[in-house]
Amino acid sequence: MRVLVVGGNAGGASAAARLRRLDENAEIVVYEKGDYISFANCGLPYHVGGVIPDRSQLLVQTPQSMKERFNIDFLTGHEVTAIDPQAHTVTVRNLATGSEVVDHYDKLILSPGGSPVRPPIPGIDSKGITPLWTIPDMDRIVAAVRGGARRAVVVGGGFIGVELAENLREQKLDVALVEMLPQVLSFLDPDMAAYAHQELLAHGVELHLGDGVASFAEGTPGTLTVTLASGKQLTADLVVLAIGVRPNTQLAEHAGLAIGPTHGIVVDDHLRTSDPDIYAVGDVVEVEQFVTKSRALIPLAGPANRQARIAANNIAGQDDTYTGTQGTSIVKVFDLAAGATGANAALLTRLGIPFRSVTIHPGQHAGYYPGSTPLHIKLLYGTDGKLFGAQATGYDGVDKRIDVLATAIRMGATVDDLTDLELAYAPPYGSAKDPVNMLGFVAQNDLTQLAESVAPEQLNDELARGALLLDVRQPEETSCGVIPGAMTIPLPELRARLNELPRDRKIIVTYCKVGLRGYVAQRILAQHGFQVANLSGGYTSWEAATTKGIEAEAVPLEREADDQQTRAGAAPARQEAQTVEIDACGLQCPGPLLKLKEALDKTGPGDLIKVTASDPGFYADVAAFAQGQHLDLVDRQRGKLVTATLRKPLQTVPAQGFTVVPGKDDDHATIIVFSNDLDKIIAAFIIANGAQAMGKKVSMFFTFWGLNVLRKDENVRIKKTFIEQMFGRMMPRGANHLTLSKMHMMGLGTNMILGLMKKYNVSPIEAMMRSVLDGGGKFIACTMSMNLMGIHREELIDGIEEGGVATMLGDADQGHINFFI
Ligand code: FAD
């Protein structure tokens, strides 16, 4: 039997090797048009980043090694240009010589993979634009990086684009990631992709979501200008296209083989094409999605290798079947892992399959064992409890949970089955109730209506139907953000305050940080006769589901490292100085700051305080806190956890409070803008401009109603909750819509004042604002108030920063002039 294989990489090489193991006598020839066979394309991004330093490690096999071990002829530089199914022949061109031969087969295996999509965007053929698909592509990118490229634009936020963004960042490039969809990693639901957005932003990747490339143009020699659909322009020394992959079906089409609606080659469950002597495997075939039984293209290495084995088994006379592709996948996003298996919400919705979902945020191992970090896991299942899909993100333990869930789905498990799984447990590795068991418990409660849950995306509908939202967290937690319109009763007070809750409301939706206390509250209320649902995944899920992608200014990594080195040498330690270590993992803002403050009170001058937190926001907060408290930030690291080491100064400063410490430079003026009354805002900007004129650095911190001053004039179309929409409509949109605090007189008084300002040459507010910004002043939008009032970043004018109380107090501490308006 003579077997020819088209394509010498994942599927082709695997099929050939398996066949040889089953049939020592078969003649096997593999044609590969490229220069390499069996190379590790999944490893390409990591050689770019220097994680796999030795390029030769990617070349897993060579034609020589395959000949020696398997007696298979791998002919590189040979492209199969045609198939004649009747004659059982292929035409092969030697790319080096241009000569062609016709070769005969008894069985043919097609594994030509796919090609990166290259849409007809103006300027796409410019120098400096490359995909990342093959070894030569990788070599081009490595050469550009070694040649001094400083700024890269990665187009496409799939797993290759995300991996490449990370690895280019590791090489200290400024990286902008452009994605036409509103999220990266479309195999995840938007609420789960939000964690990847946070991680990318935290590592200085500039994210441009919901914005496609309109054109490329060559700029000054060696640079490119990338113009986005929104009109934004990005400059780059290197552009990498990672927009997607299209199956290489041309050969099959010309040979008359059946092509499916997804444009992949149609194969049966034995991996046979419409011609019984031709098999096809890998990225080129259309598969059956295992859960939904729909047709799909799922280009992954695992399925390609398994299909190759099955095709070879069948050719060798065994009867083997392929049972579909689940799409189990995982990707590293800096320190975060994001994985998924089965169907996601978008697929189920598109196919009209009814489903329910729950999300939980447990620690990946017992909270009391050091280093516990949160996992975010979402389970999707049918109304009969059958598992449809799962997604997880986190710093540790994602692969384990996704693989367990993938296995469960493959075995046709239900929600009930998850509660029965007995999984490995010791404190460093898991919990007695593993997160997978927990998913089962929560989903079971949902299905049995013991504890009905509301998914974050359903919350708006519930509220529109008149539901009351009840926040059962502690007051200090709510300062980090609340869902607009919620009533707050901390869980410990709930039993005593039942009479405050209306019994005429159809339903009460409880929520806490991650869903657990919300569930306890739900059970209390249900047993007192209230109709209650719990917000699945609590505030954490809601925040993730409603967070929009934002752009980040890239923070050059080396600059940060330099800062840290400088600080490390800042002040000598007292000889008997001690180091106090605090574990603030599991706490959210302001928890880690409060713990830090507590430790400060107990330590002496020169002591070091090392704090570890799992809240990513702590990275920014700790710097502002250190500045405000006159502490040396000796070290600050961001990884799975945020760690920071601070040193108390040797000379005692007067107090631990923020405001009583004398300013360091005394050249700052801080104005907290709380109001949105026209008269007060005019006063605020007059003071700000005046302070700048006197040489002060001005920081204006806009909080609560004051945030409205920063809103854009025009209506920004973004998805909002019902309550947010109501709030948004009731509040003034920008500086041009403010009214007087007194004597507004249905607009008459306000217009009179504006007229008088014009008459006496007082600049309009917008001009005063611009002047503060142009003069180097800072506008800081209070993130907590933004959450509270449902104001999104996109609704605010350009040029502002977002920050919390630590940022504001840090600035206030730099001077003596602090106003509250
Ligand atoms: P390929 O591996 O693409 O092989 C096809 C081969 O056929 C090519 O070498 C091509 O040159 C050759 N060929 C095409 N046409 C002809 C012709 N007419 N004549 C002769 N030869 C021909 N998957 C994962 O599961 N996890 C990952 O982490 C992951 N990371 C990836 C990272 C990158 C950068 C890339 C590019 C892919 C990644 N993948 C990953 C996808 C995975 O590599 C593919 O799904 C897998 O390689 C598909 O195998 P295949 O044999 O179908 O195609």
Side-chain angles (χ1 to χ4, degrees):
M1 178 171 61
R2 184 169 172 83
V3 179
L4 301 184
V5 181
V6 181
N9 203 30
S14 283
R18 172 71 180 168
L19 189 58
R20 171 58 75 229
R21 287 193 287 267
L22 298 177
D23 185 348
E24 186 59 17
N25 298 318
E27 285 173 43
I28 307 171
V29 178
V30 180
Y31 290 113
E32 165 55 54
K33 70 176 181 182
D35 292 335
Y36 305 94
I37 63 155
S38 206
F39 67 92
N41 24 9
C42 309
L44 302 183
Y46 298 100
H47 180 59
V48 171
V51 181
I52 303 172
D54 184 357
R55 180 179 178 277
S56 67
Q57 286 178 290
L58 299 172
L59 308 174
V60 183
Q61 295 290 349
T62 61
Q64 294 77 355
S65 67
M66 292 302 275
K67 181 71 184 171
E68 283 161 19
R69 187 183 295 182
F70 294 109
N71 188 26
I72 298 172
D73 292 317
F74 273 79
L75 299 175
T76 55
H78 283 70
E79 180 176 6
V80 175
T81 55
I83 306 169
D84 184 340
Q86 276 74 40
H88 278 56
T89 58
V90 295
T91 306
V92 187
R93 181 181 299 142
N94 180 329
L95 296 177
T97 63
S99 62
E100 285 195 346
V101 293
V102 173
D103 197 356
H104 173 267
Y105 66 80
D106 296 306
K107 300 286 178 194
L108 178 66
I109 302 175
L110 300 179
S111 188
S115 295
V117 172
R118 210 177 165 86
I121 298 171
I124 195 156
D125 294 324
S126 308
K127 203 162 165 271
I129 303 179
T130 179
L132 175 59
W133 198 252
T134 61
I135 296 264
D137 293 339
M138 178 194 74
D139 290 342
R140 260 193 302 280
I141 297 171
V142 170
V145 171
R146 291 192 183 146
R150 296 295 310 136
R151 191 175 162 86
V153 171
V154 177
V155 186
F159 65 83
I160 296 177
V162 166
E163 287 175 350
L164 192 64
E166 171 185 337
N167 281 285
L168 289 170
R169 200 79 188 105
E170 295 297 344
Q171 293 286 17
K172 314 268 189 271
L173 269 76
D174 289 344
V175 179
L177 183 65
V178 178
E179 167 58 58
M180 196 147 50
L181 296 174
Q183 67 167 87
V184 299
L185 303 176
S186 59
F187 60 85
L188 298 173
D189 291 340
D191 49 332
M192 299 301 284
Y195 300 105
H197 296 168
Q198 279 173 15
E199 188 71 7
L200 288 161
L201 292 169
H203 286 83
V205 175
E206 204 178 286
L207 271 186
H208 297 271
L209 301 177
D211 209 353
V213 174
S215 68
F216 299 101
E218 290 183 31
T220 52
T223 66
L224 286 149
T225 302
V226 184
T227 305
L228 306 186
S230 63
K232 280 183 217 152
Q233 291 202 319
L234 310 171
T235 312
D237 308 314
L238 168 71
V239 172
V240 186
L241 296 178
I243 310 178
V245 48
R246 204 187 39 240
N248 291 329
T249 50
Q250 306 86 328
L251 271 179
E253 276 179 68
H254 288 135
L257 303 181
I259 304 294
T262 62
H263 303 295
I265 299 178
V266 174
V267 286
D268 63 13
D269 60 358
H270 284 65
L271 281 319
R272 264 184 314 237
T273 66
S274 52
D275 182 307
D277 290 327
I278 303 178
Y279 290 73
V281 300
D283 289 359
V284 79
V285 301
E286 179 178 280
V287 292
E288 184 178 83
Q289 208 286 342
F290 179 77
V291 173
T292 60
K293 307 298 173 210
S294 53
R295 310 304 300 171
L297 292 173
I298 305 181
L300 289 170
N305 278 282
R306 291 203 321 284
Q307 291 161 8
R309 180 185 167 91
I310 290 168
N313 287 350
N314 285 315
I315 290 172
Q318 297 181 1
D319 185 18
D320 202 357
T321 52
Y322 186 68
T323 52
T325 303
Q326 251 169 277
T328 305
S329 46
I330 188 162
V331 60
K332 179 175 178 299
V333 189
F334 293 93
D335 298 306
L336 190 85
T341 184
N344 64 11
L347 179 63
L348 294 168
T349 307
R350 181 155 55 79
L351 297 174
I353 300 173
F355 69 97
R356 296 190 64 80
S357 71
V358 290
T359 306
I360 59 170
H361 309 274
Q364 106 282 17
H365 66 230
Y368 57 81
Y369 187 85
S372 174
T373 56
L375 267 175
H376 310 285
I377 320 187
K378 181 170 186 174
L379 185 73
L380 301 105
Y381 48 93
T383 43
D384 58 354
K386 181 110 189 278
L387 301 186
F388 286 162
Q391 299 161 36
T393 66
Y395 292 109
D396 207 357
V398 168
D399 50 349
K400 165 169 153 173
R401 273 56 185 226
I402 285 297
D403 282 348
V404 169
L405 289 161
T407 310
I409 290 173
R410 185 56 71 157
M411 300 299 162
T414 64
V415 156
D416 292 341
D417 295 323
L418 295 188
T419 67
D420 289 336
L421 291 181
E422 191 177 315
L423 301 168
Y425 162 63
Y429 304 108
S431 304
K433 283 184 271 188
D434 190 88
V436 173
N437 299 131
M438 289 298 300
L439 278 175
F441 298 145
V442 179
Q444 206 175 45
N445 285 344
D446 174 45
L447 286 173
T448 56
Q449 297 195 338
L450 176 73
E452 194 189 328
S453 68
V454 170
E457 57 272 18
Q458 298 167 332
L459 182 61
N460 279 350
D461 294 343
E462 287 298 345
L463 295 179
R465 282 197 282 268
L468 172 84
L469 191 58
L470 181 64
D471 185 340
V472 297
R473 294 173 301 162
Q474 293 300 112
E476 52 272 27
E477 291 176 272
T478 57
S479 64
C480 290
V482 295
I483 302 178
M487 172 180 182
T488 302
I489 301 181
L491 181 62
E493 299 170 24
L494 188 59
R495 286 187 180 85
R497 294 174 60 184
L498 291 177
N499 56 355
E500 293 176 32
L501 292 170
R503 290 192 175 269
D504 56 338
R505 294 293 267 270
K506 205 176 112 225
I507 196 164
I508 295 173
V509 181
T510 49
Y511 81 92
C512 61
K513 177 77 186 156
V514 297
L516 188 58
R517 282 169 294 162
Y519 165 56
V520 176
Q522 178 183 28
R523 293 303 304 144
I524 295 172
L525 293 175
Q527 292 179 66
H528 281 88
F530 292 93
Q531 194 193 341
V532 201
N534 185 31
L535 180 65
S536 176
Y539 181 79
T540 307
S541 283
W542 177 85
E543 194 184 26
T546 53
T547 302
K548 291 277 165 302
I550 46 168
E551 290 169 32
E553 286 298 324
V555 184
L557 298 178
E558 71 273 48
R559 203 185 304 148
E560 246 171 84
D562 290 349
D563 285 358
Q564 282 162 17
Q565 274 163 17
T566 321
R567 286 186 190 120
R574 178 170 59 109
Q575 260 191 341
E576 68 280 18
Q578 52 161 334
T579 302
V580 177
E581 297 205 7
I582 324 167
D583 183 0
C585 292
L587 301 177
Q588 295 292 323
C589 166
L593 289 181
L594 294 177
K595 275 221 156 196
L596 190 53
K597 178 80 173 58
E598 219 175 271
L600 266 179
D601 294 343
K602 292 180 191 154
T603 46
D607 284 347
L608 288 169
I609 302 161
K610 185 173 177 195
V611 56
T612 309
S614 51
D615 174 10
F618 184 64
Y619 186 78
D621 273 358
V622 73
F625 182 86
Q627 192 182 24
Q629 293 281 306
H630 301 274
L631 305 168
D632 282 334
L633 184 55
V634 176
D635 183 36
R636 184 171 60 138
Q637 304 283 339
R638 180 168 44 194
K640 288 178 182 174
L641 300 171
V642 179
T643 55
T645 306
L646 303 103
R647 183 185 289 130
K648 274 184 97 164
L650 283 173
Q651 281 165 1
T652 321
V653 287
Q656 307 298 339
F658 285 102
T659 48
V660 290
V661 181
K664 268 185 186 158
D665 306 324
D666 198 20
D667 63 350
H668 277 64
T670 317
I671 303 175
I672 299 170
V673 183
F674 177 85
S675 161
N676 63 5
D677 292 333
L678 177 66
D679 34 2
K680 294 173 189 161
I681 296 308
I682 295 171
F685 285 116
I686 288 176
I687 294 169
N689 276 287
Q692 259 182 351
M694 290 168 65
K696 301 274 176 203
K697 291 179 190 149
V698 172
S699 294
M700 300 184 77
F701 186 76
F702 294 83
T703 185
F704 282 91
W705 312 117
L707 271 178
N708 290 313
V709 181
L710 299 182
R711 289 178 76 191
K712 286 180 185 156
D713 218 2
E714 74 271 11
N715 188 14
V716 179
R717 290 172 65 84
I718 42 176
K719 213 173 125 198
K720 284 196 163 199
T721 64
F722 175 71
I723 301 284
E724 284 178 345
Q725 283 174 17
M726 297 274 291
F727 249 66
R729 275 192 215 120
M730 287 187 301
M731 295 185 302
R733 200 188 293 136
N736 285 337
H737 298 92
L738 309 181
T739 55
L740 285 179
S741 61
K742 292 192 171 79
M743 293 170 54
H744 174 54
M745 298 183 298
M746 299 175 77
L748 202 65
T750 297
N751 284 337
M752 274 166 60
I753 285 286
L754 293 175
L756 286 169
M757 281 172 73
K758 209 169 172 182
K759 185 173 171 197
Y760 292 109
N761 278 334
V762 178
S763 303
I765 295 184
E766 277 189 319
M768 288 198 273
M769 289 170 78
R770 180 55 40 214
S771 149
V772 175
L773 285 176
D774 290 348
K778 274 202 296 187
F779 289 176
I780 303 152
C782 166
T783 43
M784 187 273 291
S785 300
M786 284 169 71
N787 283 335
L788 209 64
M789 303 175 74
I791 294 181
H792 296 235
R793 174 69 184 81
E794 297 91 322
E795 293 176 87
L796 301 182
I797 57 171
D798 294 336
I800 61 158
E801 298 172 23
E802 289 173 68
V805 71
T807 310
M808 188 278 288
L809 290 172
D811 282 352
D813 197 29
Q814 297 291 311
H816 279 131
I817 302 177
N818 299 312
F819 289 104
F820 183 93
I821 293 181

